[in-house]
mmCIF file of all heavy atoms in Angstrom:
data_model
loop_
_atom_site.group_PDB
_atom_site.id
_atom_site.type_symbol
_atom_site.label_atom_id
_atom_site.label_comp_id
_atom_site.label_asym_id
_atom_site.label_seq_id
_atom_site.Cartn_x
_atom_site.Cartn_y
_atom_site.Cartn_z
ATOM 1 N N PHE A 337 -36.014 -114.447 40.620
ATOM 2 C CA PHE A 337 -35.934 -113.359 39.647
ATOM 3 C C PHE A 337 -37.296 -113.205 38.975
ATOM 4 O O PHE A 337 -38.050 -114.163 38.906
ATOM 5 C CB PHE A 337 -34.838 -113.673 38.610
ATOM 6 C CG PHE A 337 -33.449 -113.576 39.171
ATOM 7 C CD1 PHE A 337 -32.762 -114.720 39.582
ATOM 8 C CD2 PHE A 337 -32.819 -112.343 39.310
ATOM 9 C CE1 PHE A 337 -31.476 -114.635 40.101
ATOM 10 C CE2 PHE A 337 -31.528 -112.250 39.832
ATOM 11 C CZ PHE A 337 -30.859 -113.394 40.230
ATOM 12 N N PRO A 338 -37.637 -112.020 38.444
ATOM 13 C CA PRO A 338 -36.825 -110.803 38.410
ATOM 14 C C PRO A 338 -36.759 -110.080 39.759
ATOM 15 O O PRO A 338 -37.681 -110.189 40.562
ATOM 16 C CB PRO A 338 -37.534 -109.936 37.368
ATOM 17 C CG PRO A 338 -38.950 -110.394 37.380
ATOM 18 C CD PRO A 338 -38.920 -111.848 37.719
ATOM 19 N N GLN A 339 -35.636 -109.365 39.974
ATOM 20 C CA GLN A 339 -35.443 -108.497 41.137
ATOM 21 C C GLN A 339 -35.589 -107.053 40.654
ATOM 22 O O GLN A 339 -34.862 -106.616 39.772
ATOM 23 C CB GLN A 339 -34.042 -108.694 41.709
ATOM 24 C CG GLN A 339 -33.771 -110.094 42.232
ATOM 25 C CD GLN A 339 -34.081 -110.210 43.715
ATOM 26 O OE1 GLN A 339 -33.665 -109.376 44.500
ATOM 27 N NE2 GLN A 339 -34.809 -111.236 44.085
ATOM 28 N N GLN A 340 -36.543 -106.336 41.245
ATOM 29 C CA GLN A 340 -36.801 -104.971 40.781
ATOM 30 C C GLN A 340 -36.082 -103.931 41.644
ATOM 31 O O GLN A 340 -35.993 -104.078 42.859
ATOM 32 C CB GLN A 340 -38.308 -104.699 40.789
ATOM 33 C CG GLN A 340 -38.716 -103.596 39.821
ATOM 34 C CD GLN A 340 -40.224 -103.501 39.677
ATOM 35 O OE1 GLN A 340 -40.913 -103.144 40.621
ATOM 36 N NE2 GLN A 340 -40.733 -103.806 38.486
ATOM 37 N N HIS A 341 -35.547 -102.900 40.993
ATOM 38 C CA HIS A 341 -34.797 -101.851 41.704
ATOM 39 C C HIS A 341 -35.141 -100.472 41.142
ATOM 40 O O HIS A 341 -35.436 -100.337 39.952
ATOM 41 C CB HIS A 341 -33.282 -102.039 41.525
ATOM 42 C CG HIS A 341 -32.769 -103.347 42.011
ATOM 43 N ND1 HIS A 341 -32.516 -103.613 43.343
ATOM 44 C CD2 HIS A 341 -32.457 -104.489 41.328
ATOM 45 C CE1 HIS A 341 -32.054 -104.854 43.463
ATOM 46 N NE2 HIS A 341 -32.012 -105.411 42.262
ATOM 47 N N THR A 342 -35.024 -99.470 42.003
ATOM 48 C CA THR A 342 -35.054 -98.072 41.552
ATOM 49 C C THR A 342 -33.626 -97.551 41.644
ATOM 50 O O THR A 342 -32.935 -97.800 42.628
ATOM 51 C CB THR A 342 -35.986 -97.222 42.447
ATOM 52 O OG1 THR A 342 -37.293 -97.787 42.389
ATOM 53 C CG2 THR A 342 -36.037 -95.775 41.974
ATOM 54 N N LEU A 343 -33.194 -96.846 40.617
ATOM 55 C CA LEU A 343 -31.809 -96.361 40.565
ATOM 56 C C LEU A 343 -31.804 -94.886 40.163
ATOM 57 O O LEU A 343 -32.467 -94.497 39.198
ATOM 58 C CB LEU A 343 -31.027 -97.194 39.546
ATOM 59 C CG LEU A 343 -29.566 -96.855 39.244
ATOM 60 C CD1 LEU A 343 -28.820 -98.104 38.773
ATOM 61 C CD2 LEU A 343 -29.415 -95.772 38.179
ATOM 62 N N GLU A 344 -31.063 -94.098 40.922
ATOM 63 C CA GLU A 344 -30.839 -92.691 40.570
ATOM 64 C C GLU A 344 -29.422 -92.596 40.009
ATOM 65 O O GLU A 344 -28.460 -92.996 40.665
ATOM 66 C CB GLU A 344 -30.972 -91.816 41.825
ATOM 67 C CG GLU A 344 -30.925 -90.337 41.535
ATOM 68 C CD GLU A 344 -31.099 -89.482 42.794
ATOM 69 O OE1 GLU A 344 -30.670 -89.914 43.888
ATOM 70 O OE2 GLU A 344 -31.655 -88.382 42.669
ATOM 71 N N MET A 345 -29.309 -92.105 38.782
ATOM 72 C CA MET A 345 -27.990 -92.022 38.133
ATOM 73 C C MET A 345 -27.040 -91.155 38.973
ATOM 74 O O MET A 345 -27.449 -90.147 39.555
ATOM 75 C CB MET A 345 -28.113 -91.412 36.735
ATOM 76 C CG MET A 345 -28.927 -92.234 35.757
ATOM 77 S SD MET A 345 -28.111 -93.780 35.303
ATOM 78 C CE MET A 345 -29.451 -94.565 34.365
ATOM 79 N N GLY A 346 -25.781 -91.583 39.030
ATOM 80 C CA GLY A 346 -24.779 -90.819 39.772
ATOM 81 C C GLY A 346 -24.684 -91.182 41.240
ATOM 82 O O GLY A 346 -24.015 -90.493 42.003
ATOM 83 N N THR A 347 -25.339 -92.293 41.636
ATOM 84 C CA THR A 347 -25.274 -92.705 43.050
ATOM 85 C C THR A 347 -24.523 -94.022 43.245
ATOM 86 O O THR A 347 -24.352 -94.470 44.376
ATOM 87 C CB THR A 347 -26.690 -92.855 43.663
ATOM 88 O OG1 THR A 347 -27.419 -93.829 42.908
ATOM 89 C CG2 THR A 347 -27.443 -91.532 43.651
ATOM 90 N N ALA A 348 -24.076 -94.647 42.155
ATOM 91 C CA ALA A 348 -23.365 -95.934 42.264
ATOM 92 C C ALA A 348 -22.049 -95.740 43.023
ATOM 93 O O ALA A 348 -21.323 -94.784 42.778
ATOM 94 C CB ALA A 348 -23.081 -96.495 40.882
ATOM 95 N N ILE A 349 -21.767 -96.649 43.951
ATOM 96 C CA ILE A 349 -20.521 -96.536 44.723
ATOM 97 C C ILE A 349 -19.669 -97.818 44.655
ATOM 98 O O ILE A 349 -18.797 -98.030 45.468
ATOM 99 C CB ILE A 349 -20.772 -96.105 46.189
ATOM 100 C CG1 ILE A 349 -21.725 -97.060 46.897
ATOM 101 C CG2 ILE A 349 -21.287 -94.672 46.249
ATOM 102 C CD1 ILE A 349 -21.815 -96.847 48.398
ATOM 103 N N THR A 350 -19.950 -98.657 43.660
ATOM 104 C CA THR A 350 -19.063 -99.793 43.366
ATOM 105 C C THR A 350 -18.846 -99.808 41.855
ATOM 106 O O THR A 350 -19.716 -99.333 41.096
ATOM 107 C CB THR A 350 -19.666 -101.162 43.788
ATOM 108 O OG1 THR A 350 -20.767 -101.465 42.916
ATOM 109 C CG2 THR A 350 -20.124 -101.153 45.240
ATOM 110 N N PRO A 351 -17.716 -100.342 41.377
ATOM 111 C CA PRO A 351 -17.489 -100.380 39.927
ATOM 112 C C PRO A 351 -18.603 -101.081 39.161
ATOM 113 O O PRO A 351 -19.055 -100.581 38.127
ATOM 114 C CB PRO A 351 -16.165 -101.142 39.806
ATOM 115 C CG PRO A 351 -15.443 -100.821 41.080
ATOM 116 C CD PRO A 351 -16.528 -100.800 42.134
ATOM 117 N N VAL A 352 -19.088 -102.231 39.663
ATOM 118 C CA VAL A 352 -20.151 -102.963 38.968
ATOM 119 C C VAL A 352 -21.375 -102.072 38.785
ATOM 120 O O VAL A 352 -21.957 -101.991 37.689
ATOM 121 C CB VAL A 352 -20.525 -104.266 39.733
ATOM 122 C CG1 VAL A 352 -21.829 -104.862 39.202
ATOM 123 C CG2 VAL A 352 -19.401 -105.291 39.623
ATOM 124 N N ASP A 353 -21.767 -101.361 39.845
ATOM 125 C CA ASP A 353 -22.974 -100.527 39.765
ATOM 126 C C ASP A 353 -22.764 -99.297 38.876
ATOM 127 O O ASP A 353 -23.711 -98.835 38.223
ATOM 128 C CB ASP A 353 -23.434 -100.130 41.169
ATOM 129 C CG ASP A 353 -23.931 -101.333 41.966
ATOM 130 O OD1 ASP A 353 -24.170 -102.396 41.350
ATOM 131 O OD2 ASP A 353 -24.080 -101.224 43.197
ATOM 132 N N CYS A 354 -21.544 -98.775 38.825
ATOM 133 C CA CYS A 354 -21.239 -97.685 37.877
ATOM 134 C C CYS A 354 -21.475 -98.177 36.450
ATOM 135 O O CYS A 354 -22.040 -97.458 35.614
ATOM 136 C CB CYS A 354 -19.789 -97.225 38.021
ATOM 137 S SG CYS A 354 -19.489 -96.219 39.487
ATOM 138 N N TYR A 355 -21.059 -99.421 36.179
ATOM 139 C CA TYR A 355 -21.247 -99.981 34.836
ATOM 140 C C TYR A 355 -22.718 -100.287 34.550
ATOM 141 O O TYR A 355 -23.178 -100.128 33.412
ATOM 142 C CB TYR A 355 -20.376 -101.224 34.657
ATOM 143 C CG TYR A 355 -18.898 -100.925 34.629
ATOM 144 C CD1 TYR A 355 -17.973 -101.770 35.259
ATOM 145 C CD2 TYR A 355 -18.409 -99.798 33.972
ATOM 146 C CE1 TYR A 355 -16.601 -101.488 35.232
ATOM 147 C CE2 TYR A 355 -17.042 -99.518 33.940
ATOM 148 C CZ TYR A 355 -16.146 -100.357 34.573
ATOM 149 O OH TYR A 355 -14.805 -100.081 34.548
ATOM 150 N N VAL A 356 -23.461 -100.713 35.576
ATOM 151 C CA VAL A 356 -24.913 -100.924 35.410
ATOM 152 C C VAL A 356 -25.571 -99.600 35.001
ATOM 153 O O VAL A 356 -26.411 -99.567 34.095
ATOM 154 C CB VAL A 356 -25.551 -101.504 36.695
ATOM 155 C CG1 VAL A 356 -27.083 -101.447 36.631
ATOM 156 C CG2 VAL A 356 -25.097 -102.947 36.919
ATOM 157 N N GLU A 357 -25.177 -98.500 35.650
ATOM 158 C CA GLU A 357 -25.705 -97.173 35.273
ATOM 159 C C GLU A 357 -25.406 -96.861 33.802
ATOM 160 O O GLU A 357 -26.270 -96.396 33.067
ATOM 161 C CB GLU A 357 -25.088 -96.072 36.144
ATOM 162 C CG GLU A 357 -25.656 -95.983 37.544
ATOM 163 C CD GLU A 357 -25.248 -94.684 38.261
ATOM 164 O OE1 GLU A 357 -24.711 -93.767 37.604
ATOM 165 O OE2 GLU A 357 -25.482 -94.589 39.473
ATOM 166 N N MET A 358 -24.158 -97.092 33.395
ATOM 167 C CA MET A 358 -23.768 -96.803 32.001
ATOM 168 C C MET A 358 -24.580 -97.641 31.014
ATOM 169 O O MET A 358 -25.022 -97.146 29.969
ATOM 170 C CB MET A 358 -22.278 -97.079 31.798
ATOM 171 C CG MET A 358 -21.372 -96.066 32.464
ATOM 172 S SD MET A 358 -19.633 -96.573 32.252
ATOM 173 C CE MET A 358 -18.866 -95.609 33.542
ATOM 174 N N LEU A 359 -24.765 -98.922 31.346
ATOM 175 C CA LEU A 359 -25.540 -99.799 30.465
ATOM 176 C C LEU A 359 -26.990 -99.340 30.371
ATOM 177 O O LEU A 359 -27.557 -99.273 29.267
ATOM 178 C CB LEU A 359 -25.468 -101.249 30.973
ATOM 179 C CG LEU A 359 -24.141 -101.972 30.706
ATOM 180 C CD1 LEU A 359 -23.960 -103.150 31.648
ATOM 181 C CD2 LEU A 359 -24.063 -102.434 29.250
ATOM 182 N N LEU A 360 -27.603 -98.991 31.511
ATOM 183 C CA LEU A 360 -29.011 -98.580 31.503
ATOM 184 C C LEU A 360 -29.246 -97.316 30.683
ATOM 185 O O LEU A 360 -30.334 -97.103 30.153
ATOM 186 C CB LEU A 360 -29.529 -98.393 32.935
ATOM 187 C CG LEU A 360 -29.837 -99.689 33.695
ATOM 188 C CD1 LEU A 360 -30.046 -99.420 35.176
ATOM 189 C CD2 LEU A 360 -31.067 -100.396 33.105
ATOM 190 N N GLN A 361 -28.209 -96.486 30.551
ATOM 191 C CA GLN A 361 -28.352 -95.272 29.729
ATOM 192 C C GLN A 361 -28.409 -95.599 28.232
ATOM 193 O O GLN A 361 -28.652 -94.723 27.412
ATOM 194 C CB GLN A 361 -27.224 -94.282 30.032
ATOM 195 C CG GLN A 361 -27.405 -93.618 31.387
ATOM 196 C CD GLN A 361 -26.311 -92.615 31.718
ATOM 197 O OE1 GLN A 361 -25.953 -91.776 30.898
ATOM 198 N NE2 GLN A 361 -25.769 -92.699 32.921
ATOM 199 N N GLN A 362 -28.191 -96.878 27.882
ATOM 200 C CA GLN A 362 -28.292 -97.323 26.483
ATOM 201 C C GLN A 362 -29.613 -98.053 26.207
ATOM 202 O O GLN A 362 -29.815 -98.580 25.117
ATOM 203 C CB GLN A 362 -27.105 -98.247 26.145
ATOM 204 C CG GLN A 362 -25.740 -97.626 26.342
ATOM 205 C CD GLN A 362 -25.569 -96.339 25.567
ATOM 206 O OE1 GLN A 362 -26.017 -96.221 24.428
ATOM 207 N NE2 GLN A 362 -24.941 -95.345 26.184
ATOM 208 N N PHE A 363 -30.505 -98.103 27.211
ATOM 209 C CA PHE A 363 -31.775 -98.818 27.083
ATOM 210 C C PHE A 363 -32.913 -97.880 26.682
ATOM 211 O O PHE A 363 -32.900 -96.698 27.052
ATOM 212 C CB PHE A 363 -32.164 -99.445 28.431
ATOM 213 C CG PHE A 363 -31.565 -100.799 28.712
ATOM 214 C CD1 PHE A 363 -30.195 -100.945 28.902
ATOM 215 C CD2 PHE A 363 -32.369 -101.918 28.821
ATOM 216 C CE1 PHE A 363 -29.639 -102.183 29.178
ATOM 217 C CE2 PHE A 363 -31.821 -103.173 29.112
ATOM 218 C CZ PHE A 363 -30.459 -103.308 29.288
ATOM 219 N N LEU A 364 -33.914 -98.441 25.980
ATOM 220 C CA LEU A 364 -35.200 -97.772 25.801
ATOM 221 C C LEU A 364 -36.180 -98.348 26.826
ATOM 222 O O LEU A 364 -36.058 -99.525 27.194
ATOM 223 C CB LEU A 364 -35.748 -98.030 24.390
ATOM 224 C CG LEU A 364 -34.985 -97.384 23.230
ATOM 225 C CD1 LEU A 364 -35.509 -97.909 21.896
ATOM 226 C CD2 LEU A 364 -35.110 -95.861 23.288
ATOM 227 N N PRO A 365 -37.162 -97.564 27.287
ATOM 228 C CA PRO A 365 -38.160 -98.118 28.208
ATOM 229 C C PRO A 365 -38.860 -99.328 27.574
ATOM 230 O O PRO A 365 -39.196 -99.310 26.382
ATOM 231 C CB PRO A 365 -39.134 -96.952 28.410
ATOM 232 C CG PRO A 365 -38.323 -95.731 28.110
ATOM 233 C CD PRO A 365 -37.385 -96.131 27.022
ATOM 234 N N GLY A 366 -39.020 -100.404 28.365
ATOM 235 C CA GLY A 366 -39.652 -101.619 27.856
ATOM 236 C C GLY A 366 -38.671 -102.591 27.218
ATOM 237 O O GLY A 366 -39.048 -103.674 26.770
ATOM 238 N N GLU A 367 -37.402 -102.219 27.196
ATOM 239 C CA GLU A 367 -36.380 -103.064 26.551
ATOM 240 C C GLU A 367 -35.797 -104.072 27.538
ATOM 241 O O GLU A 367 -35.539 -103.746 28.698
ATOM 242 C CB GLU A 367 -35.256 -102.170 26.007
ATOM 243 C CG GLU A 367 -34.098 -102.940 25.401
ATOM 244 C CD GLU A 367 -32.939 -102.027 24.989
ATOM 245 O OE1 GLU A 367 -33.181 -100.852 24.620
ATOM 246 O OE2 GLU A 367 -31.783 -102.496 25.048
ATOM 247 N N THR A 368 -35.598 -105.299 27.061
ATOM 248 C CA THR A 368 -34.862 -106.322 27.800
ATOM 249 C C THR A 368 -33.604 -106.646 27.000
ATOM 250 O O THR A 368 -33.676 -106.801 25.777
ATOM 251 C CB THR A 368 -35.710 -107.601 27.977
ATOM 252 O OG1 THR A 368 -36.880 -107.263 28.734
ATOM 253 C CG2 THR A 368 -34.937 -108.691 28.721
ATOM 254 N N ALA A 369 -32.468 -106.712 27.701
ATOM 255 C CA ALA A 369 -31.207 -106.985 26.988
ATOM 256 C C ALA A 369 -30.289 -107.868 27.819
ATOM 257 O O ALA A 369 -30.304 -107.820 29.060
ATOM 258 C CB ALA A 369 -30.500 -105.684 26.634
ATOM 259 N N ALA A 370 -29.506 -108.681 27.115
ATOM 260 C CA ALA A 370 -28.453 -109.487 27.750
ATOM 261 C C ALA A 370 -27.219 -108.594 27.850
ATOM 262 O O ALA A 370 -26.750 -108.073 26.831
ATOM 263 C CB ALA A 370 -28.162 -110.712 26.906
ATOM 264 N N CYS A 371 -26.725 -108.413 29.068
ATOM 265 C CA CYS A 371 -25.587 -107.509 29.296
ATOM 266 C C CYS A 371 -24.390 -108.279 29.839
ATOM 267 O O CYS A 371 -24.549 -109.340 30.449
ATOM 268 C CB CYS A 371 -25.957 -106.435 30.319
ATOM 269 S SG CYS A 371 -27.376 -105.445 29.842
ATOM 270 N N SER A 372 -23.209 -107.723 29.635
ATOM 271 C CA SER A 372 -22.030 -108.325 30.258
ATOM 272 C C SER A 372 -21.003 -107.248 30.586
ATOM 273 O O SER A 372 -20.952 -106.197 29.942
ATOM 274 C CB SER A 372 -21.405 -109.395 29.359
ATOM 275 O OG SER A 372 -20.822 -108.796 28.230
ATOM 276 N N ILE A 373 -20.234 -107.527 31.628
ATOM 277 C CA ILE A 373 -19.085 -106.699 32.019
ATOM 278 C C ILE A 373 -17.892 -107.637 32.014
ATOM 279 O O ILE A 373 -17.891 -108.643 32.741
ATOM 280 C CB ILE A 373 -19.269 -106.095 33.431
ATOM 281 C CG1 ILE A 373 -20.559 -105.269 33.534
ATOM 282 C CG2 ILE A 373 -18.053 -105.254 33.816
ATOM 283 C CD1 ILE A 373 -20.946 -104.897 34.981
ATOM 284 N N THR A 374 -16.880 -107.332 31.202
ATOM 285 C CA THR A 374 -15.674 -108.176 31.144
ATOM 286 C C THR A 374 -14.535 -107.448 31.834
ATOM 287 O O THR A 374 -14.226 -106.303 31.493
ATOM 288 C CB THR A 374 -15.302 -108.514 29.684
ATOM 289 O OG1 THR A 374 -16.448 -109.095 29.051
ATOM 290 C CG2 THR A 374 -14.140 -109.487 29.626
ATOM 291 N N SER A 375 -13.941 -108.111 32.833
ATOM 292 C CA SER A 375 -12.850 -107.489 33.587
ATOM 293 C C SER A 375 -11.551 -107.527 32.782
ATOM 294 O O SER A 375 -11.460 -108.225 31.767
ATOM 295 C CB SER A 375 -12.643 -108.222 34.917
ATOM 296 O OG SER A 375 -12.062 -109.495 34.665
ATOM 297 N N LYS A 376 -10.556 -106.797 33.264
ATOM 298 C CA LYS A 376 -9.257 -106.762 32.568
ATOM 299 C C LYS A 376 -8.597 -108.143 32.546
ATOM 300 O O LYS A 376 -7.777 -108.431 31.688
ATOM 301 C CB LYS A 376 -8.331 -105.736 33.232
ATOM 302 C CG LYS A 376 -8.705 -104.308 32.871
ATOM 303 C CD LYS A 376 -7.653 -103.317 33.352
ATOM 304 C CE LYS A 376 -7.877 -101.920 32.774
ATOM 305 N NZ LYS A 376 -9.093 -101.271 33.254
ATOM 306 N N THR A 377 -8.967 -108.993 33.526
ATOM 307 C CA THR A 377 -8.385 -110.343 33.570
ATOM 308 C C THR A 377 -9.214 -111.340 32.749
ATOM 309 O O THR A 377 -8.935 -112.535 32.744
ATOM 310 C CB THR A 377 -8.275 -110.833 35.032
ATOM 311 O OG1 THR A 377 -9.560 -110.700 35.664
ATOM 312 C CG2 THR A 377 -7.250 -110.030 35.809
#
């Protein structure tokens, strides 16, 4: 790590990646944040 990626919003095709898109829309450029996704279980 780190693993670098380019992402175009609206292209996620798994639930995890849909949530990654949603989280990234809450970031400012240059920001590092600890993120989590909690499942229903």
Side-chain angles (χ1 to χ4, degrees):
F337 289 99
Q339 297 268 312
Q340 204 171 67
H341 301 280
T342 301
L343 177 153
E344 187 178 32
M345 296 291 172
T347 59
I349 57 169
T350 70
V352 167
D353 293 346
C354 285
Y355 292 141
V356 168
E357 283 193 11
M358 288 176 199
L359 285 159
L360 283 168
Q361 287 181 47
Q362 302 304 320
F363 275 67
L364 292 171
E367 176 185 329
T368 298
C371 302
S372 69
I373 303 168
T374 306
S375 72
K376 284 189 169 67
T377 53

